[in-house]
């Protein structure tokens, strides 16, 4: 919301993933509703048709007509439960979940975000055979394995193989850090629908903008996004300690593109109160 308000120029946004809590229920922000001003797609971690259907019905009640199934999250605490990229070695489980979902013919499109596999990129072969059986609205592929997390380099050769065998819309993801990266990848894979950008836009919010990306302009834009983010967190009803934790996370990537950013980030992370955080930030930016 904050990025869209200050910068924009993005076609589609995805929520952080939702998954069942310890009580076996989904928890949603009360503000989570479809808005024509923000093309937002709710994202879920699931490995059963029951959970996927429950989430889809909840989102339908909130006005959404698309949800995204995340089978790419690389973090072990998720993957060890056969969620995220941890589901990729188990194509039969994925098949059963999708069969259950599409058997109900809900008016909610299902897109999929995925990686090449959990430990082995060869997982992709069986997974693609499953996905081809269903009307997946969009496939988003990050061509790394889960165990790689964000290390090494994406396997763009394998990505090209998937592009060549997939008939539906496909989106690329992974290490898109500059506008030139987008142009280069689009020339290389000219049938790709678009590119999902995460870390690149967090590091440089002006990556897609015509605005001057000089240091001063970048800092001004980051601070505007930051301040809007605070207002949104307050609107969502977060407490001061919760807001502080979110703000400390906020600077992990922008600090990489700021002179002295590592020092600023370190000082911000050491603050224990929201007022102290604000004073430290104001002294730098």
């Amino acid at each position: 919301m904050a990025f869209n308000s200050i910068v924009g120029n993005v076609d589609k946004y995805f929520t952080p993933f939702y998954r069942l809590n310890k009580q076996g229920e989904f928890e949603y922000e009360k503000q989570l509703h479809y808005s024509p001003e923000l093309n937002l797609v709710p994202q879920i971690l699931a490995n059963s048709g029951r959970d996927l259907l429950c989430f889809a019905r909840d989102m339908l009640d909130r006005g959404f007509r698309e949800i995204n199934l995340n089978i790419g999250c690389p973090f072990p605490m998720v993957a060890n439960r056969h969620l995220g990229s941890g589901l990729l070695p188990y194509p039969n489980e994925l098949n059963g979940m999708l069969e259950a979902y599409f058997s109900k013919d809900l008016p909610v499109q299902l897109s999929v975000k995925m990686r090449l596999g959990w430990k082995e990129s060869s997982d992709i072969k069986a997974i693609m055979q499953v996905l081809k059986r269903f009307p997946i609205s969009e496939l988003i592929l990050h061509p790394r394995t889960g165990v790689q997390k964000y290390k090494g380099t994406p396997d763009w050769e394998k990505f090209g193989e998937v592009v060549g065998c997939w008939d539906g819309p496909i989106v690329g993801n992974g290490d898109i850090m500059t506008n030139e990266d987008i142009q280069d990848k689009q020339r290389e894979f000219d049938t790709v629908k678009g590119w999902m950008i995460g870390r690149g836009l967090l590091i440089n919010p002006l990556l897609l903008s015509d605005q001057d990306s000089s240091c001063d302009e970048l800092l001004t834009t980051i601070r505007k996004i930051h301040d809007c983010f605070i207002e949104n967190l307050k609107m969502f009803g977060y407490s001061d300690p919760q807001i502080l934790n979110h703000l400390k996370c906020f600077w992990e990537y922008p600090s990489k593109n700021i002179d002295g950013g590592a020092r600023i980030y370190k000082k911000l992370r050491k603050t224990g109160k929201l007022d102290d955080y604000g004073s430290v930030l104001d002294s730098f930016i």
Side-chain angles (χ1 to χ4, degrees):
M1 291 174 63
F3 185 94
N4 189 61
S5 297
I6 304 302
V7 181
N9 205 29
V10 170
D11 298 316
K12 183 185 292 189
Y13 297 88
F14 293 80
T15 69
F17 57 72
Y18 293 91
R19 61 171 169 168
L20 294 177
N21 61 21
K22 292 180 180 179
Q23 290 71 45
E25 300 174 341
F26 289 107
E27 295 180 273
Y28 311 117
E29 301 84 355
K30 64 180 181 181
Q31 294 84 1
L32 181 64
H33 288 276
Y34 172 76
S35 169
E37 288 79 31
L38 183 71
N39 190 8
L40 181 69
V41 178
Q43 186 181 98
I44 179 177
L45 282 177
N47 55 19
S48 77
R50 180 196 61 192
D51 296 343
L52 188 58
L53 283 165
C54 177
F55 182 75
R57 289 180 178 121
D58 288 346
M59 294 303 102
L60 183 60
D61 288 343
R62 290 168 178 260
F64 293 99
R65 293 296 182 270
E66 179 187 349
I67 61 172
N68 179 263
L69 173 64
N70 182 324
I71 52 174
C73 179
F75 298 110
M77 288 185 64
V78 167
N80 290 340
R81 296 187 172 100
H82 289 201
L83 294 167
S85 60
L87 186 61
L88 294 173
Y90 305 99
N92 289 338
E93 291 186 25
L94 176 64
N95 186 73
M97 175 168 58
L98 295 180
E99 278 188 343
Y101 180 78
F102 286 107
S103 70
K104 300 302 181 182
D105 198 26
L106 292 179
V108 181
Q109 292 185 325
L110 181 68
S111 58
V112 173
K113 185 179 187 297
M114 63 183 291
R115 290 191 174 218
L116 295 173
W118 168 232
K119 292 182 179 179
E120 305 293 336
S121 61
S122 57
D123 289 343
I124 191 73
K125 295 179 181 178
I127 291 297
M128 291 303 296
Q129 291 305 310
V130 171
L131 293 177
K132 287 178 180 179
R133 298 177 189 142
F134 302 97
I136 303 300
S137 64
E138 182 177 82
L139 181 65
I140 305 166
L141 178 61
H142 183 144
R144 281 186 172 97
T145 61
V147 295
Q148 279 185 278
K149 295 182 181 176
Y150 298 98
K151 297 178 181 177
T153 57
D155 188 342
W156 293 111
E157 181 177 352
K158 187 72 71 173
F159 177 83
E161 293 176 9
V162 175
V163 170
C165 74
W166 181 253
D167 293 331
I170 188 166
V171 172
N173 174 230
D175 290 10
I176 305 295
M177 298 298 180
T178 67
N179 200 285
E180 289 73 21
D181 289 339
I182 300 173
Q183 304 308 319
D184 290 344
K185 285 290 175 283
Q186 193 62 52
R187 281 191 291 268
E188 185 176 359
F189 306 106
D190 59 357
T191 61
V192 167
K193 177 183 176 183
W195 301 92
M196 173 181 274
I197 308 172
R199 290 166 296 147
L201 277 174
L202 294 176
I203 293 171
N204 177 14
L206 298 178
L207 190 156
L208 300 175
S209 173
D210 294 331
Q211 298 180 54
D212 177 19
S213 59
S214 65
C215 183
D216 288 345
E217 184 63 30
L218 181 61
L219 279 175
T220 299
T221 302
I222 292 172
R223 184 59 192 259
K224 287 180 179 178
I225 296 171
H226 170 275
D227 293 349
C228 185
F229 182 48
I230 292 178
E231 294 306 311
N232 288 339
L233 291 172
K234 291 178 178 178
M235 179 181 68
F236 289 169
Y238 287 100
S239 66
D240 282 2
Q242 290 173 321
I243 291 173
L244 181 60
N245 286 334
H246 279 289
L247 293 178
K248 289 179 179 180
C249 294
F250 175 93
W251 288 104
E252 178 180 359
Y253 289 105
S255 64
K256 299 177 185 294
N257 203 24
I258 298 173
D259 290 340
R263 179 169 55 91
I264 298 171
Y265 183 44
K266 184 176 181 180
K267 285 185 174 292
L268 291 172
R269 285 182 60 84
K270 287 183 177 180
T271 58
K273 294 182 179 180
L274 192 56
D275 287 344
D276 295 337
Y277 167 91
S279 298
V280 171
L281 183 62
D282 288 341
S283 69
F284 286 108
I285 300 177

